[in-house]
Structures are given as C-alpha cells and as structure tokens.
Amino acid sequence: MSNKSLLRLLQAPSIILLLLWMLIPLGMTLYFSFIRYVLNNLRKPEWTTPSISNWRGLGNYEYVLYKSKDFWFAVQNSLLIVGSIIILTVIFGLAISILINRTFPGRGIVRVLLISPFFVMPSVNAVLWINMILDPVLGLNGLAIEGLNQILKDLQDLPLLGRFFSLWPVFEPISFRATQTSSYAVIIMVTWQWTPFAVLIFMTSLQSEDQQQIEAAILDGANAWSRFINLTIPHLARPISIVIMIQAIFHLSLYAEIEIVSRGNGNKNLPYLIGEFSSNNIGAASATGVFAVILANIVAIFLLRIVGKSLME
Amino acid sequence: MAKLKIKNLKKSYENEQIIHGVNLEIKDGEFVVFVGPSGCGKSTLLRLIAGLEEITEGEISIGDKVVNEIAPSKRGVAMVFQNYALYPHMNVYKNMSFALRQARMNKDEINRRVKNAAEILQISDFLLKTPRSLSGGQRQRVAIGRAIVREPDVFLFDEPLSNLDAALRVNTRLEIARLHKRLGTTMIYVTHDQVEAMTLADKIVVLNNGKIEQIGSPIELYENPLNMFVAGFIGSPKMNFLNSKTLTKNISTIVKGAKREDIIGIRPEHLLKTTYTKSIISARLDLIENLGENVLVHMILNNDDQIIAKMNTAPKEPIGTKLHFTANIKNLHLFNKK
Ligand SMILES: Nc1ncnc2c1ncn2[C@@H]1O[C@H](COP(=O)(O)OP(=O)(O)OP(=O)(O)O)[C@@H](O)[C@H]1O
Ligand SMILES: [Mg+2]
C-alpha cells in the first residue's frame, strides 16, 4: 500500500463522520421538503408519516413562496436585523475601542465592564431589555418619558414662560412590542450584547497600531479624522471583516430574542418562520430551511466579495 | 530654509527630567548631528523640535518664529523616522503625496513634486508599489522622499540608517550628504554612529544625560575635546586615558603645569613606539588585531587598565613583552578629573 493511500485511509473516518454530520440533516431536510409531511391531520392521517408516496414535488416551495404571507417578510426582516446589527456594532465597537485605547485611571475595570454584556445569556438579555428598559410603562423607556412629561408640565406651569411651552406636545413612550418596532427592540438588545465582541477584537488590534506612523501623519498635517480614515481604518480592515463575518453567521439564526420580544408578531426572520411551520407542517418548514441555506450562502458570497479580500491578504 | 534656535529647553516626563536646559543655535542650511549614548535624549530633543512632544520649559524658534505653540505640521519641519513609518496601505506615490493632499494642494503641483523627489532619490520605478514589497534601502528612500516633497525648512532624521546593512549604510550616507548639498536645507540628524557624525556634520552636538557636552565642527571635537566624555566619544578606537600613576615620567614634565590628579588622553593613532628612556608610558602586549591597512595593538598597563595603539605594522615582540610609547606634545590632551 502506498504512503498516500494509507494517509487517505487514516483520514477517512473523520472525513466520513464530518460528511455524515452535514449530509444526513441536509438530506433529510431536502427529502422532507419534497413530500407532504405534517404532524397532525385528521382527514389525511397518511401524511403524518414521512413517506415517498406522499411526494409533493415543488409544492412545499410553492406554498412557502406564494401562499404563506410571511416568507418574503421574513427574508427582508432577516436581512434588516443582521445588517443593522452589523453596522451598529462596528460603529459602536470602533468608537468605544478608540476611546478606551488611551490610558486613564480605572481602565482595567472599565474594560471588564465593557466586555461583560457578551457573557449574558441571550434569552436573559432579551427578558431584561424588553421588561426593564424598553417597556413603555415599567421600563426605563416609560420612566424616562414620564419624567420628561413631568418636566414639561412644570415648565408649562411657570408664570411667564409657561405660555411658550404650552405649545409643546406631550411625549409618548415608544412601545417596542408593537408590530413595526419589535425588530428594533431585537436590534437594540443584540447590538448591546455584541458590541463588546467588536470592542474586544478592535481593541487588541488597535494596540498593535504603529505609533510612528501616526506621528508621521501628524507631521504630514493629517487631523484626527484623517488619521482615523487613512491609517486606523485600513489597519483595522481585517478585524472589521472578522467581526462582520462572524456576526453574519450568528445573527442569521437569531431566535430567542424574537420569541421573547413579540413571539414573532410583526417581526420574524427565517429561523423563526421555520419554527412556526414546524409546529405542524414539517414539509413547509423544510422548504423554508432550504431557502434559509440559500440565503445564508448568498450573504456569505456577498460578504466574501466585499470583506473577504482583506482576510485573504 | 531657516535657522533654528533653542533656548534653555527642558523636558520632563512625569517627575523625571530628561532634557536639562539645552541651548543651541543652528544656522540656515547647516547640517547638525546630535550624537550621544543611548538614552541621552537625542530622540527626545528631535521630537521636541518636531512638536511631537510638549515643551516643559524653554523656547524653540524656527526662522524668527517661536514655535512652542505651533502645530507640528505648521512648523515647516519634516521628519524621517528610524523604522521609516511608511503608511502600509498606500503605495509609494500616495505615501509621498500624503502631506500635500492633506494640505489640498493642486494635483499638478503634487505630481510635479513627487516626480521630482522620486527622480532625485531614484525611486521613480516603484511609485506604484506598496512599502511591503520594497527593500529596506528603498523604503528609506521613500521615507526621505516623503520629507522632501513637503519642501520643509528643516529636515529631521532620527537614526535613519540604523536599520540598513553596512554597505547600504555607506551608500545612503553619501546620498544624504549629496542631498544636503543639492537642497541646501537645514538638517538635523540623530545618530550614535560617530562615523556618520564625523562625515556628515557641519556641526556636531554631543549630548550626555540630557545636557550638551560640547558643540563644534567634527575636527574641533577631534582635536580639542572639552572633557573626557567628548574625548572618549569621538574617535575610534576610543581615546586612551592615563593617570599619573601609569605614566613612566612625572606628569608635570610631560605637560607643563599639569597636576598629579590630572589625566592625560592620547588617541590610539597618536601613540608612537619608542625606547624606555624616551617613553611616557609602558604596557604589556596583550593582543594584536590586524585590520590590513593598520594594526590595533591592545596592551595592559601596570594598573590593569587597557590601552590601544593604532600602528602601521604589527610589533615583532612576543605577547607579554613590555612595549614603550611616547606621543607628540600637540597630540596630548589634558583633563582635570571632576
Ligand atoms: N514617553 C516617555 N515617557 C517616559 N520616559 C521617556 C519617554 N520617552 C523617552 N523617555 C526617556 O527619555 C530618555 C531619553 O530617551 P531618548 O529616546 O531621547 O533617547 P535617545 O538618546 O534617542 O536614545 P537611543 O539612542 O537609544 O535612541 C530615556 O531615558 C527614556 O527612557
Ligand atoms: Mg532615539
């Protein structure tokens, strides 16, 4: 036996295991997506067991695409949530990491505190945010608006200036459980949780920035903004790509936050839609799963095009 | 082009004072070299001039303007850093034009200046390459080019050659000398290589522990060092220092008016081999280094101090023999120990 084939033979078990690990779920998803398969149907009990005789062809796909009203909404929402979180975490991450990159008293403690949101469980994070901060009555949101209104009222009661303030409207707290705003709640809480991740990665990278280059730029007449754009951002190109890639992978599959904020009312992404289908219609859930895989691939190719170059360098 | 004046300059970090009252005047177009041992404050002094460090006390003026409060980029100085500090994500052209683009100069003028500088430095061929793909010497030229295009009043170099290999260092040194001739701009150059200092400088400033020990032309420092520090620092191999106990004759008969506790300095190249009766020192032969053009003879005095003589031919005597030396009176330096 030649050396090479021995090598292949020895590698085979792990590779086969990996393939099975990926191919079996994918294969089953594909299989279910082409048959009628529901968990509960009194009129057609034969549909409750997966079988090739229940073949439906592209029917599940057709159903998901055209008959269920939520699919395109879920795709759009998936992209909105992922995109917003990525943009916000990168911006906040850059700002915070640059702010704490200088020495100041208590820097160690500040850094630990900054990283800590990352270690909160996602569901706990969601419960805390939606009940204690974003709640329009009991949360910080409600309390702050109430306080503002109180100040406004006091101003209106002033003897002379009161008339001027009387034209001002009373503030309304934002309800983050309403249909339009529940995705914003998810974006806010996940951004809060993942900004530390960006900070952590940018911070280590900032420390390796060459001080003499910065001094050379100062002598060349570059102001702080120009130094940030021309030196710091190119220096951080790779960590920024890493932050974007990893978050794209993670946030396409958000679930807990969406469930806790509004149980999917007005705010669904593809994983949540799959979850809803799979309460009965496994066929449609599988078809949606296939679409989710396709969407993830599109996003991945798109991102590789944009940021992959700086990773490969 | 401009003259530069430093008045009673002091610099402290936290509680530690690094520069202790430096006074210095540099004429328009002069090439001034700061030398001194590591940590003596050469770079700090240069950075104070550039404006990269805040002045604790004193005054720096460039031209006729006090620049203490003027931003680094407005002082008319350009600096070449030891590790080049090129912008890694920009190509050579962008690197060299960065300052001009920041100043919003018009495109044609930028182009003219960069092309011109590139020609002087012979880097026209790699204008579109990134710094990463250049050799050390090429990077150094780009760094110099980046300084040239700004057409500054004063060039500042901080050990620009120390990252280059020996052959390249000699070449680049010559190029810097040529550049100074061509541009005629005031240049301040930091080094701890005394060959660079001796060959490039119109004026050498010897620094030690944040103080100026002596200012003078290379030849002045070589012939008339003010103190033992300067004497030991300029010249290679180092000057030999002899106290009266190690001399074979009474010190006052060698140099008129010298006291017992004074020290006589003789450069290795000025020691002349002679007989015992004519000699002023005797030492045991320890080691001979033959450099081809001349020979370094290492010897040990009776108090175990080492001395070196630079001779044209190696002495024939076996190792361990006592050799006797004298020197021309004009080559003796008398120092009183502080
Ligand atoms: N930012 C700083 N904070 C505190 N001390 C500093 C700082 N920068 C420099 N020093 C101190 O100032 C002294 C002079 O440093 P400087 O870099 O000017 O020396 P140098 O003469 O250039 O030495 P070298 O030949 O090694 O480059 C050193 O003792 C150094 O430790
Ligand atoms: Mg230095």
Side-chain angles (χ1 to χ4, degrees):
Chain A
M1 199 188 285
S2 81
N3 233 345
K4 211 166 180 182
S5 51
L6 178 67
L7 209 67
R8 293 245 169 86
L9 195 73
L10 290 175
Q11 286 173 338
S14 58
I15 291 176
I16 290 173
L17 197 71
L18 256 176
L19 274 180
L20 293 180
W21 191 268
M22 281 169 45
L23 288 181
I24 289 182
L26 186 65
M28 284 175 69
T29 306
L30 278 171
Y31 171 50
F32 290 160
S33 74
F34 287 113
I35 59 171
R36 286 192 191 275
Y37 178 24
V38 294
L39 294 181
N40 204 342
N41 194 323
L42 292 178
R43 285 191 298 129
K44 302 251 184 184
E46 69 272 19
W47 286 358
T48 55
T49 41
S51 146
I52 199 81
S53 57
N54 295 335
W55 187 258
R56 199 187 177 190
L58 291 172
N60 283 326
Y61 292 92
E62 223 171 297
Y63 170 75
V64 169
L65 277 181
Y66 300 117
K67 305 248 172 62
S68 82
K69 58 186 185 332
D70 282 340
F71 177 74
W72 288 110
F73 173 66
V75 169
Q76 191 187 332
N77 229 10
S78 294
L79 295 177
L80 169 78
I81 291 174
V82 171
S84 312
I85 293 171
I86 286 176
I87 291 170
L88 289 173
T89 48
V90 168
I91 291 174
F92 285 131
L94 282 174
I96 294 173
S97 58
I98 286 169
L99 267 182
I100 61 169
N101 192 36
R102 54 196 72 187
T103 43
F104 56 88
R107 181 163 79 152
I109 293 172
V110 168
R111 285 185 173 180
V112 171
L113 286 178
L114 270 170
I115 308 301
S116 56
F118 199 52
F119 298 108
V120 177
M121 271 189 285
S123 43
V124 174
N125 176 31
V127 169
L128 289 179
W129 268 92
I130 200 64
N131 291 325
M132 300 187 69
I133 299 176
L134 299 180
D135 192 283
V137 182
L138 303 170
L140 213 55
N141 175 16
L143 298 180
I145 298 294
E146 200 176 306
L148 275 179
N149 283 335
Q150 188 59 49
I151 292 171
L152 189 61
K153 195 159 169 293
D154 291 348
L155 286 173
Q156 284 168 348
D157 289 345
L158 281 179
L160 280 171
L161 296 167
R163 288 184 60 112
F164 171 69
F165 289 106
S166 67
L167 297 173
W168 285 27
V170 174
F171 296 104
E172 288 281 342
I174 307 162
S175 167
F176 282 95
R177 286 193 181 91
T179 43
Q180 310 88 342
T181 48
S182 50
S183 62
Y184 301 156
V186 172
I187 291 168
I188 291 171
M189 59 184 63
V190 179
T191 299
W192 179 79
Q193 179 154 51
W194 278 75
T195 296
F197 170 72
V199 170
L200 195 68
I201 291 194
F202 296 158
M203 206 167 61
T204 46
S205 210
L206 278 177
Q207 275 160 2
S208 69
E209 193 174 11
D210 186 287
Q211 253 0 78
Q212 292 208 338
Q213 280 170 24
I214 294 177
E215 288 179 345
I218 290 176
L219 278 170
D220 275 348
N223 58 24
W225 177 250
S226 165
R227 295 199 297 275
F228 174 72
I229 294 294
N230 288 300
L231 295 181
T232 308
I233 290 286
H235 177 73
L236 291 179
R238 185 178 300 225
I240 289 175
S241 321
I242 290 170
V243 166
I244 292 177
M245 292 296 242
I246 290 183
Q247 291 204 88
I249 294 166
F250 271 78
H251 301 331
L252 272 176
S253 58
L254 277 183
Y255 189 91
E257 289 86 349
I258 292 173
E259 167 76 13
I260 288 165
V261 168
S262 67
R263 299 194 171 268
N265 283 329
N267 177 29
K268 284 188 188 58
N269 61 358
L270 278 183
Y272 199 87
L273 190 66
I274 295 172
E276 281 188 344
F277 280 136
S278 62
S279 65
N280 193 23
N281 191 344
I282 304 293
S286 300
T288 314
V290 173
F291 281 126
V293 170
I294 293 170
L295 180 76
N297 276 292
I298 292 174
V299 170
I301 290 168
F302 187 66
L303 286 179
L304 275 175
R305 276 277 162 80
I306 303 177
V307 300
K309 213 175 72 196
S310 71
L311 276 179
M312 300 308 158
E313 261 173 14
Chain B
M1 281 187 235
K3 58 181 194 282
L4 193 139
K5 198 162 160 187
I6 298 176
K7 251 196 329 217
N8 195 26
L9 186 70
K10 292 180 184 160
K11 171 70 187 173
S12 315
Y13 290 112
E14 274 106 58
N15 310 320
E16 201 191 350
Q17 194 166 358
I18 304 292
I19 304 285
H20 305 266
V22 163
N23 288 291
L24 179 63
E25 278 195 41
I26 296 172
K27 290 206 246 358
D28 187 9
E30 219 169 8
F31 199 121
V32 177
V33 174
F34 294 170
V35 291
S38 192
C40 70
K42 306 180 294 287
S43 299
T44 307
L45 194 53
L46 205 64
R47 293 163 57 80
L48 284 163
I49 296 171
L52 295 172
E53 301 281 351
E54 209 164 309
I55 294 167
T56 309
E57 209 185 306
E59 207 175 88
I60 297 178
S61 31
I62 298 175
D64 297 317
K65 259 194 319 211
V66 176
V67 295
N68 285 30
E69 302 298 327
I70 295 180
S73 58
K74 302 263 157 59
R75 293 185 178 194
V77 300
M79 186 153 166
V80 176
F81 292 85
Q82 179 174 358
N83 69 2
Y84 321 130
L86 298 177
Y87 311 127
H89 308 280
M90 303 180 198
N91 64 24
V92 171
Y93 186 94
K94 292 229 169 93
N95 259 285
M96 286 172 65
S97 59
F98 186 69
L100 309 181
R101 283 184 283 133
Q102 292 300 311
R104 307 199 187 289
M105 191 175 278
N106 82 50
K107 282 234 170 67
D108 296 336
E109 176 66 5
I110 292 179
N111 207 23
R112 190 190 65 76
R113 287 198 189 187
V114 173
K115 289 274 154 64
N116 188 22
E119 214 156 280
I120 294 175
L121 295 163
Q122 297 164 8
I123 48 176
S124 307
D125 290 345
F126 356 100
L127 283 179
L128 295 179
K129 288 194 176 178
T130 55
R132 199 180 323 204
S133 61
L134 300 180
S135 72
Q138 291 165 343
R139 286 181 204 181
Q140 187 54 268
R141 286 156 194 244
V142 176
I144 295 173
R146 194 169 62 178
I148 292 178
V149 292
R150 292 182 51 200
E151 301 184 351
D153 298 326
V154 181
F155 279 99
L156 307 174
F157 294 91
D158 193 355
E159 308 203 23
L161 308 186
S162 56
N163 283 347
L164 303 180
D165 65 44
L168 208 52
R169 205 177 300 176
V170 174
N171 268 337
T172 316
R173 195 178 78 210
L174 287 171
E175 260 167 45
I176 291 178
R178 245 178 246 136
L179 193 70
H180 179 241
K181 279 233 172 61
R182 179 168 182 162
L183 301 175
T185 314
T186 313
M187 291 188 176
I188 304 177
Y189 186 106
V190 165
T191 180
H192 51 234
D193 182 311
Q194 53 147 318
V195 179
E196 281 171 32
M198 297 297 280
T199 51
L200 286 170
D202 295 324
K203 183 152 98 185
I204 295 181
V205 178
V206 183
L207 288 163
N208 187 23
N209 282 327
K211 283 203 253 334
I212 293 183
E213 294 281 349
Q214 189 173 358
I215 304 175
S217 71
I219 218 60
E220 266 167 36
L221 296 192
Y222 181 79
E223 288 179 347
N224 294 311
L226 279 182
N227 53 38
M228 285 174 67
F229 179 83
V230 177
F233 201 81
I234 303 287
S236 165
K238 219 171 140 208
M239 183 186 279
N240 300 303
F241 294 112
L242 309 155
N243 62 30
S244 51
K245 286 198 201 84
T246 57
L247 295 167
T248 50
K249 288 211 178 84
N250 196 322
I251 189 164
S252 55
T253 64
I254 300 170
V255 182
K256 276 216 181 67
K259 290 192 279 299
R260 278 189 62 79
E261 61 280 5
D262 286 350
I263 295 212
I264 286 182
I266 310 173
R267 296 197 182 277
E269 54 272 37
H270 294 149
L271 280 173
L272 306 168
K273 197 152 167 277
T274 179
T275 57
Y276 177 72
T277 45
K278 288 185 190 157
S279 74
I280 55 176
I281 48 164
S282 303
R284 224 167 55 243
L285 182 56
D286 181 40
L287 183 78
I288 295 173
E289 283 180 303
N290 199 331
L291 303 180
E293 51 173 334
N294 51 38
V295 180
L296 296 184
V297 182
H298 296 254
M299 290 163 292
I300 298 177
L301 292 168
N302 50 15
N303 67 349
D304 283 348
D305 278 357
Q306 291 207 354
I307 62 167
I308 301 177
K310 200 190 243 179
M311 298 167 66
N312 290 328
T313 51
K316 304 272 181 318
E317 290 84 349
I319 301 290
T321 325
K322 273 232 149 146
L323 300 181
H324 311 289
F325 289 91
T326 184
N328 198 319
I329 181 81
K330 73 173 205 292
N331 291 331
L332 298 182
H333 305 270
L334 191 68
F335 302 106
N336 12 32
K337 211 165 195 175
K338 285 174 223 149

